[in-house]
Amino acid sequence: MSEQLRSKAYFDKRASEEMSRHLKEADRSVSENLAYACRILAMTGQEAGLAGQITARSDKPNAYWTLRFGLGFDEATADDFVEVDQDLNTITGEGMANPATRFHLWVYQARPDVQSIIHTHSPWATTLATARQPLVVAQMDMAPLYDDCAFLGEWPGVPIADQEGVIISGALGNKKAIILAHHGYLTAGNSVQEATYLSVYLERAARLQVRAQAFGPLTPVDAKLAKEAHDYLLKRSIVNATFDYWARQTTRYPGLK
């Protein structure tokens, strides 16, 4: 073994090249990815009755795909998604959008990079929201959210009108996630897979934060190392391979179709 220590950049480059060769993306439609995302959220305990929302930007301007209103995450199939326009009129499929997805329109308009949005009232992230606490990245598994999780300290009310969209999209800014005080959370990904990945890790991060605070104040991870971990853990190959693993897991759980 060579006595010369190679740089982390060398290993990062090598790992990225090998992952691009060996971690192949599953070939699915947007609706199929959305259905799996719903099942993953249900499997990880993030259902919130009919309050949970998931959308994906449509190829049509000012339109998106979403789970038809009236269904829970655990019931979703690829046939249960409708395409709606900027006034939430259904243009493809049967059924209606959740009226509270209106604020998603404002996020899509402000952020051309965002292709999918998830919003729900999951137990641990909502605990932070209830306590009006921003996320503190104090452990490696929290790093995908490092400097990428905003905080909105005031609740604008049920987001069924335009004003809430202005407030929430403004507070999100250029970040990929946000804790909404007195409410829940939102993740905004460059794909359905990334939005789901961020959602699962945000819920885990919130759980870690709440539990760790029992032992005293949290010590944030070193900023340079946290940024390094953030960028590494959000590599497309890692995000998609993780999503595919979770998708396979959902078939083992009773009640998930």
Side-chain angles (χ1 to χ4, degrees):
M1 187 172 182
S2 173
E3 294 182 0
Q4 182 179 0
L5 298 179
R6 290 166 289 186
S7 70
K8 188 173 285 187
Y10 162 80
F11 290 103
D12 186 5
K13 182 175 182 294
R14 174 179 169 180
S16 297
E17 290 172 349
E18 291 180 343
M19 285 188 288
S20 68
R21 290 199 306 269
H22 297 294
L23 299 180
K24 303 301 181 183
E25 297 181 19
D27 184 17
R28 302 191 193 96
S29 67
V30 171
S31 293
E32 288 170 332
N33 278 329
L34 285 167
Y36 272 117
C38 286
R39 298 174 195 181
I40 291 165
L41 292 167
M43 179 182 72
T44 54
Q46 298 202 53
E47 68 82 23
L50 301 184
Q53 306 154 17
I54 183 168
T55 64
R57 189 191 293 270
S58 169
D59 292 333
K60 298 174 184 174
N62 301 315
Y64 60 78
W65 291 90
T66 188
L67 182 65
R68 62 184 175 88
F69 193 42
L71 295 180
F73 287 152
D74 60 319
E75 299 178 287
T77 71
D79 295 329
D80 291 320
F81 291 86
V82 295
E83 185 182 26
V84 297
D85 66 16
Q86 61 187 348
D87 288 322
L88 301 193
N89 297 308
T90 299
I91 54 180
T92 305
E94 296 292 332
M96 62 177 283
N98 184 334
T101 60
R102 185 174 299 279
F103 76 92
H104 295 215
L105 290 162
W106 291 89
V107 176
Y108 285 128
Q109 184 176 23
R111 293 279 301 280
D113 60 305
V114 172
Q115 299 299 314
S116 182
I117 296 169
I118 292 173
H119 165 68
T120 190
H121 307 164
S122 58
W124 294 100
T126 303
T127 299
L128 293 186
T130 302
R132 296 181 72 241
Q133 285 192 16
L135 186 70
V136 178
V137 175
Q139 192 268 342
M140 188 182 79
D141 293 341
M142 303 164 112
L145 285 307
Y146 174 73
D147 197 27
D148 237 345
C149 186
F151 179 72
L152 177 60
E154 299 297 331
W155 181 49
V158 179
I160 59 172
D162 292 331
Q163 291 83 355
E164 294 86 0
V166 173
I167 293 169
I168 292 172
S169 63
L172 177 66
N174 64 355
K175 299 190 185 301
K176 291 180 179 290
I178 185 170
I179 298 287
L180 304 166
H182 310 301
H183 192 176
Y185 78 79
L186 175 148
T187 59
N190 59 27
S191 65
V192 173
Q193 293 94 320
E194 186 180 75
T196 308
Y197 181 88
L198 291 165
S199 291
V200 173
Y201 276 99
L202 177 53
E203 178 68 356
R204 289 183 182 180
R207 181 178 63 198
L208 286 171
Q209 179 165 325
V210 172
R211 288 177 169 176
Q213 284 174 331
F215 298 93
L218 300 181
T219 302
V221 174
D222 175 82
K224 180 179 179 181
L225 297 177
K227 178 63 167 61
E228 178 185 88
H230 167 277
D231 295 349
Y232 185 83
L233 293 171
L234 282 178
K235 288 181 183 291
R236 180 185 177 100
S237 53
I238 292 177
V239 169
N240 289 349
T242 305
F243 181 92
D244 291 344
Y245 164 59
W246 289 335
R248 293 192 300 272
Q249 273 192 307
T250 65
T251 63
R252 307 173 193 169
Y253 286 78
L256 295 178
K257 301 175 182 178

